[in-house]
Amino acid sequence: MSSSGLLFVVSAPSGTGKTTVVEQLVKIVPTLELSRSYTSRAPRANEKDGVDYNFVSRQEFEDRIARGDFLEHADVFGNYYGTGKAETEARLATGRDLILVIDVQGARQVREKRHGVGVFMLPPSFQVLEHRLRNRSQDPEAAIQRRLATARSEVSAVSEYDYVVINDELDRCVAELRGIVLAERARRDRRVDVIAPIVK
């Protein structure tokens, strides 16, 4: 196998369930790790710093942007989110695969800087997406409508990704995403070191 790990980038509209799917995925796929993002937003009641996110102040986030510390970053609904560049490269250098759960604009930044395998996750329908958004939070109507409008814009980027999965049922979606990871690991160009001693 290649000594450097693979980078997987998963994007989806807010409310699609991408984080839940990926959290289940890393539990069943050996040597696949979930990247932990930085954010300037405050932790929610059930979130822990250094576990769910690296929580930093808006000023510290902006200082990190100025230093070029991020592989990608974006302002999402008024809060910054970003992926640490040095941490990402260090983890990939160990040979372990890494999966980023980031939005469309962040994924575009990653593609400009390095190769990654892109997966776009869709809800079964916009009606289901709206139902999920309304049930998961106490957001005001204006915020829900803004998220839905953003979702409609984001799905137009689906052609920029290598794979598409539909999150209509959790276990099936996790299994499909697992298949993508395993298929990418088995690509001939990623197994040069294994092939060479056998095929002479």
Side-chain angles (χ1 to χ4, degrees), residues 8-23:
F8 294 90
V9 176
V10 176
S11 301
S14 177
T16 302
K18 57 187 179 294
T19 302
T20 300
V21 170
V22 171
E23 286 175 346

Side-chain angles (χ1 to χ4, degrees), residues 35-36 38 54 64 69-70 83-93 98:
S35 174
R36 184 172 58 246
Y38 286 82
N54 295 313
R64 288 176 178 270
D69 289 350
F70 293 115
T83 303
K85 181 165 53 178
E87 297 99 316
T88 298
E89 297 302 338
R91 290 169 75 180
L92 291 171
L98 192 61

Side-chain angles (χ1 to χ4, degrees), residues 9 14 23-24 41 46 57 59 74 78 91 115 117 121 148 167 173 179 182 186 189:
V9 176
S14 177
E23 286 175 346
Q24 293 298 311
R41 74 162 170 77
N46 60 336
S57 69
Q59 183 60 57
R91 290 169 75 180
H115 176 73
V117 179
M121 189 179 301
L148 287 169
N167 187 15
C173 188
L182 298 183
D189 58 340

Side-chain angles (χ1 to χ4, degrees), residues 112-133:
E112 290 174 357
K113 297 170 184 172
R114 68 169 351 272
H115 176 73
V117 179
V119 182
F120 200 92
M121 189 179 301
L122 289 169
S125 68
F126 271 97
Q127 290 76 18
V128 169
L129 181 65
E130 182 171 0
H131 178 74
R132 290 175 182 174
L133 285 172

